[in-house]
Amino acid sequence: MGLISDIQAKKHKSLLLKIIIWLLIFGGVYSYYAYNKSKNANLNTPVYKTYTPVKWDLETSMEADGKVYYKDYYSLSFPVSGTIKEINKKEWDKVAKWEIIARLDDTYYSLAVSKAEISLQNAKANLNAKIASKASSADLNVLKEQVNNADASLDLSKGLESANIDQAKKAMDLASISLNSLKDDLANTKNLQTSDIKTQNQTIDSINLELQNLKKERDRTKSQDDLSLSNMQSQAKLQIDLLLDYVDKYIKESDYILWATDENKYKNDNFETYLGAKNTSIKTNAENALRQTISNYAVFQNNYAKQTDIQMSLSEAISLADSMNNTLDLTLQTLKNSISSSSFPDATINTYTTSFETYLTTLKTIKQAVVADSQQISSQIKLASDKEANINDNISLLETKLSLAQTGLDKLDTSNSSSITSLQNKLKTAQTTYEQAKLNYENALSKAQNSLKVSSSQVSVTQANLQAKKSNYSQAELAPYYTAIDEAKRNLKEVQARLDDTILKASSDWTISEIDGNIWELANTNKVFANIINAKNIYIESYVEETDIANVKLNQKVKLSFDAIENLSLTWVVAYISDKSTIDTSWIVTYKVKIKFDNSKSLVKEWMTANINYITNELKNVLLVPSEAIVWQKVFSLDKNAQVQIQTWFSNWDFTQILSGLKEGEKIRY
């Protein structure tokens, strides 16, 4: 009884221990479940915002964009033609009204003024000489002849010197035109050649980029093909390993029946006499086939361990499967030709027969998988090889194109260098020709001035002699002399004005936006030399669609900001709304709107992009809530702990005006 009691006590203790363990496990699982449930509940608890509605000012607006333009713009040209001698300002310099911007070479016009002054002096001298005295007719005739000769000499000098000056000036102008033309040709050639080289370089860059992309594509394709082939090879190795497992098993099963090795010696002694007794040659063939398969299996295992070519391994594996298949088939035929006995009954024969039929079916399936892997790998290798060959052909073609393009660039560089050198030599010659022509012109002017001074002096002397002999002339007799003086004064005034026209002055206190001309270039009256602008007086031009134009009014307040200028915000008004619409290619109808504003600090420049907010409504002291707190015209009131229906009015997306349904200070959540 003591032994039985001890056994029962141990069973009770064991049962109690099991119960305690199960209780601990259950308690742990329940605690973990409760903890996760609590944690997920906390995570799913929504986070709310609160807001207390108050009264503020609300502004609603309509957004648009526009471009900046200068309102005041003036073009300046020289009133007379000539060679530019002096440029005192550069682009974007500020100028005062009547400040000198540039000058022309005034030598020709200064000479004209000198000639006009001499003519005026002569006219006055003629008058004075006329008044001074009278002489006898014979004396007067002699003196008149001297005056006429002096005048003729002066006129001849004027004609000759004027012709020389005109000829020298024409030669200088032609040389200047030729020089400027060659400068333009050289600049155009450089620009054209730069463009050609740029185009050729772009072609080379394009081919290089295409070549690099194609090489990357080749590497990427090869990497993908290698990976795919590697996966196929891994799968094929698994199939080969599976085949070897089954071949090893089937060799042992066949050897157990046929006894071709020492390992299974004597195991078939009790039925060997009856095995294949109906056709002993089949049994012999089966034993020989088994020995061949065993030999093939050993050779394959030896080669497989050292073989790196998976296709060769697959081919040898298929041959091994065929050998094993032949062995199984002959063993099956041997079983079917066996004679049953007490030691080898029909039930045993049938069991072995069924097993070997199953072996044949299984082996066939595995062999088909190995054959499929072999074909797939062969196809993959061929496909990868074809793709790589195709890409390599394209790479070779691109490399040939690249070589031809580089050769073309080298030829272009050589040709360009030769053309530029030729033009530079011509330009150097033209510069020398122009400088010589300019020197000849200056010499002709100097010579003319000296010659005219001498001739004018002679005229003055002879006229003074004549006038000294004349006196007491009537006003009618002196009238032609006064007329000559007035004509000389008018002529002097005209040539003095033309001399003044060689100076280009600013018409206002503005800014120079453009200068088109260089020193010693020709300036024409029909060519704009400089443009000046009022940088402070600018406007913004915007186009508003037909659906929004009703919201834009004259003198309406707008707020402006600029992409190019940080932290600059301006408030101005609408100055102009066009009544005429514009239709673009998409059939969108718009209206031009202009906004004028003060640019006294000159921060805003022409063509800048402006961001425009047309202020459509300005509400003072209205009740506002965040727009995101409103859902289907309702808000959640914390004071009432419920959704309340509200009526809204204006909104600027951030805040919305409340007309009814909510009071100031009534807290909400959202």
Side-chain angles (χ1 to χ4, degrees):
M1 291 297 291
L3 180 60
I4 294 173
S5 297
D6 290 341
I7 293 172
Q8 289 177 343
K10 288 181 179 179
K11 287 183 176 179
H12 286 141
K13 288 180 180 179
S14 176
L15 179 61
L16 182 61
L17 181 61
K18 289 180 179 179
I19 291 172
I20 292 171
I21 291 171
W22 278 108
L23 286 174
L24 289 173
I25 292 172
F26 177 76
V29 171
Y30 179 77
S31 298
Y32 179 75
Y33 170 76
Y35 169 75
N36 279 335
K37 184 175 181 182
S38 173
K39 183 178 179 181
N40 291 333
N42 291 333
L43 289 175
N44 293 328
T45 302
V47 178
Y48 292 105
K49 299 178 183 178
T50 61
Y51 182 78
T52 302
V54 294
K55 290 185 176 181
W56 294 95
D57 295 340
L58 178 67
E59 213 174 55
T60 63
S61 64
M62 180 182 70
E63 294 182 353
D65 57 27
K67 288 290 184 183
V68 176
Y69 298 95
Y70 291 115
K71 184 175 183 299
D72 297 325
Y73 185 97
Y74 195 74
S75 297
L76 301 176
S77 301
F78 283 101
V80 295
S81 299
T83 303
I84 301 170
K85 179 181 179 181
E86 179 183 305
I87 300 176
N88 299 322
K89 296 292 181 179
K90 60 181 181 298
E91 292 181 354
W92 300 111
D93 279 352
K94 293 181 179 180
V95 291
K97 187 174 183 179
W98 307 127
E99 185 176 0
I100 296 175
I101 297 175
R103 295 176 185 267
L104 296 179
D105 183 5
D106 61 359
T107 306
Y108 180 80
Y109 298 103
S110 296
L111 178 62
V113 170
S114 297
K115 290 169 64 177
E117 289 174 344
I118 292 172
S119 296
L120 178 59
Q121 291 174 2
N122 290 338
K124 289 179 179 180
N126 290 338
L127 175 63
N128 293 331
K130 181 71 174 177
I131 295 172
S133 63
K134 271 188 173 183
S136 65
S137 297
D139 293 337
L140 289 177
N141 289 335
V142 172
L143 291 174
K144 285 180 181 179
E145 184 66 24
Q146 291 177 351
V147 170
N148 290 336
N149 291 336
D151 284 337
S153 177
L154 177 61
D155 291 339
L156 180 60
S157 295
K158 287 181 179 179
L160 291 174
E161 298 304 333
S162 178
N164 292 336
I165 290 171
D166 289 342
Q167 184 178 359
K169 189 174 186 307
K170 286 180 181 179
M172 184 181 71
D173 290 344
L174 289 174
S176 177
I177 292 171
S178 177
L179 178 63
N180 291 328
S181 176
L182 282 171
K183 286 181 179 179
D184 292 340
D185 289 347
L186 181 59
N188 292 335
T189 301
K190 287 182 177 179
N191 291 336
L192 181 61
Q193 292 173 353
T194 300
S195 176
D196 291 342
I197 291 173
K198 182 179 179 182
T199 301
Q200 191 70 4
N201 279 322
Q202 288 175 344
T203 301
I204 291 173
D205 291 342
S206 175
I207 295 173
N208 264 323
L209 179 60
E210 188 177 357
L211 184 60
Q212 295 304 318
N213 289 337
L214 200 56
K215 288 181 178 179
K216 289 179 182 178
E217 175 66 16
R218 179 184 63 185
D219 295 341
R220 184 186 63 81
T221 302
K222 189 175 186 308
S223 177
Q224 290 178 345
D225 290 341
D226 289 346
L227 178 61
S228 177
L229 184 60
S230 176
N231 292 336
M232 291 180 186
Q233 290 174 340
S234 298
Q235 180 63 30
K237 287 180 180 179
L238 291 176
Q239 289 293 343
I240 291 174
D241 292 340
L242 180 63
L243 174 64
L244 292 178
D245 290 341
Y246 277 97
V247 168
D248 184 71
K249 175 184 176 182
Y250 294 161
I251 286 175
K252 291 177 180 178
E253 293 293 333
S254 300
D255 192 38
Y256 181 81
I257 298 297
L258 299 173
W259 176 47
T261 66
D262 292 339
E263 182 180 352
N264 295 308
K265 189 176 182 181
Y266 307 123
K267 288 184 179 180
N268 65 347
D269 284 352
N270 58 341
F271 60 80
E272 184 178 10
T273 303
Y274 309 100
L275 183 65
K278 293 180 182 180
N279 190 346
T280 56
S281 63
I282 293 177
K283 179 186 176 186
T284 301
N285 291 338
E287 290 172 349
N288 292 334
L290 177 58
R291 292 188 184 95
Q292 184 61 47
T293 299
I294 292 171
S295 175
N296 293 342
Y297 179 55
V299 171
F300 180 82
Q301 285 185 312
N302 182 57
N303 292 340
Y304 185 50
K306 299 179 290 183
Q307 184 63 264
T308 57
D309 187 353
I310 188 65
Q311 287 183 285
M312 183 64 71
S313 297
L314 286 168
S315 177
E316 293 174 354
I318 293 170
S319 298
L320 178 61
D322 290 338
S323 177
M324 188 71 251
N325 185 78
N326 184 46
T327 299
L328 291 175
D329 184 55
L330 289 172
T331 303
L332 180 61
Q333 292 182 38
T334 300
L335 288 169
K336 289 180 178 181
N337 282 282
S338 299
I339 299 174
S340 62
S341 65
S342 58
S343 60
F344 199 39
D346 286 336
T348 301
I349 294 173
N350 290 337
T351 299
Y352 284 141
T353 300
T354 301
S355 296
F356 274 83
E357 287 175 344
T358 302
Y359 297 161
L360 280 168
T361 302
T362 302
L363 183 64
K364 180 179 179 182
T365 301
I366 296 172
K367 177 191 171 184
Q368 288 174 345
V370 173
V371 170
D373 286 342
S374 177
Q375 292 173 346
Q376 188 178 18
I377 289 174
S378 296
S379 298
Q380 177 63 24
I381 290 174
K382 186 176 186 308
L383 179 62
S385 176
D386 291 344
K387 285 196 289 187
E388 185 174 7
N390 184 49
I391 292 176
N392 284 334
D393 288 343
N394 290 333
I395 288 175
S396 297
L397 179 60
L398 283 176
E399 287 175 342
T400 301
K401 286 184 178 180
L402 181 62
S403 177
L404 291 174
Q406 189 62 52
T407 301
L409 179 62
D410 294 341
K411 290 181 178 178
L412 191 60
D413 285 338
T414 302
S415 174
N416 290 347
S417 177
S418 176
S419 298
I420 290 174
T421 300
S422 175
L423 282 173
Q424 286 174 336
N425 291 334
K426 290 180 180 179
L427 183 63
K428 188 175 180 180
T429 301
Q431 183 69 41
T432 302
T433 302
Y434 170 74
E435 290 174 355
Q436 183 61 48
K438 183 172 179 290
L439 181 61
N440 293 340
Y441 173 64
E442 292 172 350
N443 291 337
L445 287 175
S446 177
K447 181 181 177 182
Q449 288 175 339
N450 293 331
S451 177
L452 288 175
K453 284 181 181 179
V454 172
S455 297
S456 297
S457 177
Q458 290 177 349
V459 170
S460 298
V461 170
T462 56
Q463 287 178 340
N465 292 335
L466 177 62
Q467 295 302 325
K469 297 295 182 179
K470 296 178 180 180
S471 61
N472 300 323
Y473 288 102
S474 66
Q475 289 297 320
E477 291 177 308
L478 297 178
Y481 296 93
Y482 287 112
T483 301
I485 291 174
D486 292 339
E487 183 66 28
K489 287 181 178 179
R490 283 195 298 272
N491 184 49
L492 177 61
K493 185 177 180 181
E494 289 178 2
V495 295
Q496 184 65 55
R498 291 174 66 83
L499 178 63
D500 293 341
D501 287 341
T502 61
I503 301 174
L504 188 67
K505 298 179 180 180
S507 57
S508 301
D509 296 335
W510 288 357
T511 300
I512 299 175
S513 65
E514 182 181 9
I515 292 178
D516 185 11
N518 296 299
I519 292 178
W520 299 121
E521 285 185 354
L522 288 177
N524 297 318
T525 57
N526 58 353
K527 178 183 177 183
V528 175
F529 177 77
N531 290 314
I532 60 173
I533 54 157
N534 184 359
K536 297 179 181 179
N537 192 6
I538 62 178
Y539 68 92
I540 293 172
E541 186 173 284
S542 174
Y543 287 86
V544 179
E545 294 186 13
E546 60 178 331
T547 54
D548 297 325
I549 194 63
N551 296 322
V552 181
K553 304 289 188 297
L554 284 176
N555 298 318
Q556 179 177 346
K557 186 167 75 172
V558 295
K559 290 187 176 181
L560 307 172
S561 62
F562 302 88
D563 294 339
I565 307 174
E566 294 183 359
N567 303 321
L568 177 63
S569 180
L570 303 173
T571 301
W572 216 252
V573 295
V574 174
Y576 169 81
I577 303 173
S578 175
D579 292 328
K580 185 178 180 181
S581 64
T582 301
I583 303 176
D584 65 12
T585 56
S586 301
W587 293 98
I588 296 176
V589 179
T590 58
Y591 293 85
K592 183 190 294 185
V593 176
K594 292 183 179 180
I595 301 162
K596 184 180 178 183
F597 67 97
D598 182 15
N599 190 36
S600 56
K601 295 183 179 180
S602 300
L603 295 175
V604 181
K605 307 297 183 186
E606 189 178 24
W607 293 107
M608 281 187 177
T609 299
N611 304 309
I612 306 168
N613 279 295
Y614 295 94
I615 306 305
T616 54
N617 290 287
E618 289 184 289
L619 306 174
K620 302 293 184 181
N621 198 31
V622 295
L623 188 63
L624 303 176
V625 298
S627 299
E628 60 179 319
I630 302 172
V631 181
W632 300 109
Q633 293 296 101
K634 291 181 179 181
V635 295
F636 189 87
S637 171
L638 288 175
D639 294 352
K640 298 175 182 176
N641 196 27
Q643 293 277 356
V644 295
Q645 188 76 32
I646 60 173
Q647 184 180 0
T648 62
W649 193 232
F650 290 108
S651 173
N652 67 353
W653 298 105
D654 294 325
F655 287 91
T656 299
Q657 179 187 5
I658 304 298
L659 296 180
S660 63
L662 199 65
K663 298 179 180 179
E664 185 176 7
E666 185 177 348
K667 189 175 291 186
I668 64 172
R669 80 175 188 192
Y670 59 97

